[in-house]
Every structure is written in C-alpha cells, then in structure tokens.
Amino acid sequence: MAAALRGLGLLQGRARVAAAAGASFGRSGRRVTVRAGAAAAAAAALPSAGRSYGSDAKEEEELRVRYLDDEHKGIVVLGLNRSRAKNALNKNILKMMSKAVDTLKSDKNVRTVIFRSEVPGIFCAGADLKERAKMHASEVGSFVSKARATINEMANLPVPTIAAIDGIALGGGLELALACDIRVAASTAKMGLVETKLAIIPGAGGTQRLPRTIGVSLAKELIFSARVVDGDEAKSIGLISHVVEQNEAGDAAYRRALALAREFLPQGPVAMRVAKLAINQGMEVDLVTGLAIEEACYAQTIPTKDRIEGLLAFKEKRPPRYKGE
C-alpha cells in the first residue's frame, strides 16, 4: 500500500489527492477486547458471529463489532445497539465507532464491512438530541465536528462498505449510510435529511454526499423539504442500490447486504482496495486527472502476489486463493 501512495505522488500538483489516499490507508489502530453483552443471543442468531471488539463491556453494548467466520470469513459487521435511544449518535458511540474504524483500516484480513442496526425497526435516528440539549453552546460545534470526522473516517475505509438499512435512517443516520459505498434498504425503511425542521442543516456530510449520490437539484429538494422517503422511492431516485421486502425477522436488508458482501470475497484484496481508492479520488477531479489516478493505481497491482495468484489460477482453471498483502 505504501507503493500505491508513492505512485499517486507522480501526479504533479495533486498533493491533495495523495493526502486523501493517505487517509484511506491510515495508521494502525488499537484493538480492545470486549466481554459478551446482555443481548448475546441476538448476535448468536446471526450467521457465523465471530470476535467482538469495542469499549469496556456494559449492560448494553452500544456498538458491536463482529468478525464473521466460515463462508463469511473476511466480512466484519458493525452493529448499532442503542435500543433505548433509537441508535442516536452520542459522544460514546462516536468514540467507539472511531476506535473500531481505526482498527479495521489496518487489518488486512478484513475484506468488507457491513454497517447495520441490531435494534428492530431502527437504523439510526440521527444525533442524540437529548444529550445535545445538555451541552454548553461551545460544545455543540465540537460534537458536530467529531461526528463529521468519524463518518468521514468510515468513508475512507479502504475496503468496500455496505449500509444495511432495515428501519428508520434520519439525519445523521442517513449521513452515516451515505458514507458507505453501497446502501441496501428494506421497502419499509424510512430515510431523510430532516435537519431543516430544527432550523439547522445536515452537518456530518449530508449536504455534500447526497448531491453526489442523487444529483444536486433533487438533493436540494429533499433537504429543503425535510422529506422522508421509503425504500422503494429511495431506490427510484438512486439513494440506495437495492430494495428488498422486509421479512418476519426484520433483517431483510442485512441479509441482502451479507449476500452482496459474499460476492466481493473471491476478488483480489489489494485490487479491491486500490479500485476503491481510484474511484473515490477520480470522482473529485476532471477526467484527465482521473485517468492519471487510475494509471498510478493500476501500477500498484502489477507487482502484488494477488496478481500472480490470479493469473496462475486462471491458467490452471481453478478459483484463486488470495491472502492479501
């Protein structure tokens, strides 16, 4: 990956591109083990639940990080779990999310990350307004900046990320989903950037990521009106990639996200990371510069063991056995 950064440095006058790439392949994070929480049975019901990392154990773990096993090995699930607060984003959960992302971005065994809720009917209701009401005016700006920075860290994870929206995703909850590469939602889900109802604006990336996702005019309409859309309408305007009918368990979007993540697992790990980097950086510049970014990124796949294994597997007519680098 260091070679990839040096390759991007070949683009004269594009220091900001190399800097952004540095964010994508960041420094190693710190891993902290968590004991089982009160709702371990819910986690066990999900496919191949694995290790869990986060903060010190509590009666209710607000963020669960699960490394899946067996046929799902390489998939990591981040599960929001603040049932009493509808998964609202508070200081603690932002801290836990930041710590989890810092660990994941340097773990070469991670192939795809799924963001989901473990609270039925809710993805994330946005910022914790009760906590915010207790803040001094001088603290609010710092909190919003932390939320923006944490969600941006998630967007810069070097592996594919999928948001599984099985319930309500409003305000900061939708901003969190917009930071993911792909969004899957149940038809019954409700999504919207509703901040203008509170006489504020989206502050964790919504005014920037929504227009880039569905177009400027429609994004303005949704933000100006604070309109909430369901899964079917979200699919029709391009806000999500897949819409599914909700099931009795209430986890249809998660199941679809899991199936999608499994499609990514057989692919070359280094190629996946570099492809994401090339796409993300290329979308922020003109076409000529974007093609130069692609060229620099492509060059980083040539000397990897992944590429050698891929070519050998093709020659021998067998599935490749990638280990990453």
Side-chain angles (χ1 to χ4, degrees):
M1 291 298 100
L5 302 183
R6 289 195 295 271
L8 288 181
L10 296 174
L11 304 177
Q12 297 181 353
R14 294 294 175 178
R16 68 182 183 86
V17 175
S24 294
F25 302 102
R27 297 182 299 276
S28 175
R30 183 163 59 91
R31 177 171 290 179
V32 183
T33 303
V34 173
R35 298 186 299 276
L46 295 168
S48 307
R51 310 190 295 279
S52 180
Y53 301 96
S55 67
D56 293 338
K58 297 181 177 181
E59 181 181 354
E60 177 185 63
E61 294 298 335
E62 294 189 333
L63 180 71
R64 295 190 182 134
V65 184
R66 297 182 297 106
Y67 288 66
L68 305 188
D69 296 321
D70 302 325
E71 71 270 24
H72 301 104
K73 187 175 183 180
I75 301 171
V76 178
V77 179
L78 295 188
L80 298 173
N81 190 43
R82 293 193 72 210
S83 59
R84 288 169 292 183
K86 297 183 179 180
N87 287 341
L89 303 176
N90 64 352
K91 291 180 180 179
N92 182 59
I93 202 167
L94 288 175
K95 180 180 179 181
M96 295 176 73
M97 287 169 59
S98 181
K99 184 180 292 185
V101 168
D102 197 40
T103 298
L104 293 172
K105 68 185 180 184
S106 59
D107 189 339
K108 294 177 182 177
N109 293 316
V110 176
R111 305 291 298 279
T112 301
V113 176
I114 297 175
F115 292 89
R116 67 161 302 192
S117 166
E118 298 191 12
V119 179
I122 296 290
F123 178 74
C124 176
D128 190 333
L129 298 182
K130 290 183 179 179
E131 181 185 69
R132 184 180 295 189
K134 299 176 182 178
M135 294 180 186
H136 187 274
S138 61
E139 296 180 281
V140 175
S142 177
F143 173 80
V144 174
S145 294
K146 176 62 177 176
R148 184 185 303 114
T150 300
I151 289 177
N152 203 47
E153 288 171 7
M154 290 167 39
N156 285 331
L157 273 170
V159 297
T161 55
I162 307 172
I165 308 171
D166 273 306
I168 296 171
L170 302 177
L174 182 55
E175 288 177 304
L176 188 157
L178 283 167
C180 294
D181 299 313
I182 300 165
R183 285 162 297 285
V184 179
S187 57
T188 55
K190 303 294 184 183
M191 291 156 271
L193 296 179
V194 296
E195 286 85 350
T196 53
K197 285 186 177 181
L198 301 175
I200 57 177
I201 69 170
T207 64
Q208 302 305 304
R209 292 193 173 96
L210 187 62
R212 285 168 166 79
T213 302
I214 65 173
V216 174
S217 182
L218 188 52
K220 287 178 178 178
E221 180 181 331
L222 293 186
I223 291 174
F224 294 167
S225 65
R227 185 183 305 154
V228 174
V229 300
D230 62 18
D232 290 320
E233 185 174 357
K235 175 65 169 64
S236 70
I237 64 176
L239 179 56
I240 62 175
S241 300
H242 303 274
V243 60
V244 291
E245 291 298 320
Q246 189 56 279
N247 57 26
E248 292 184 5
D251 64 353
Y254 169 62
R255 298 288 173 174
R256 182 66 182 90
L258 194 62
L260 191 60
R262 287 187 62 183
E263 290 186 44
F264 301 159
L265 292 180
Q267 319 313 327
V270 175
M272 295 288 281
R273 291 171 178 246
V274 177
K276 178 170 178 175
L277 177 62
I279 295 168
N280 284 356
Q281 297 307 314
M283 290 301 295
E284 301 301 321
V285 298
D286 60 86
L287 178 59
V288 172
T289 305
L291 291 171
I293 291 172
E294 179 185 78
E295 181 179 8
C297 287
Y298 182 87
Q300 308 317 311
T301 67
I302 294 176
T304 64
K305 293 179 182 179
D306 281 357
R307 182 173 183 271
I308 296 172
E309 167 60 16
L311 293 174
L312 185 62
F314 179 80
K315 180 180 179 180
E316 297 176 355
K317 298 181 179 180
R318 61 169 174 81
R321 295 184 288 269
Y322 296 119
K323 296 181 180 180
E325 294 186 354

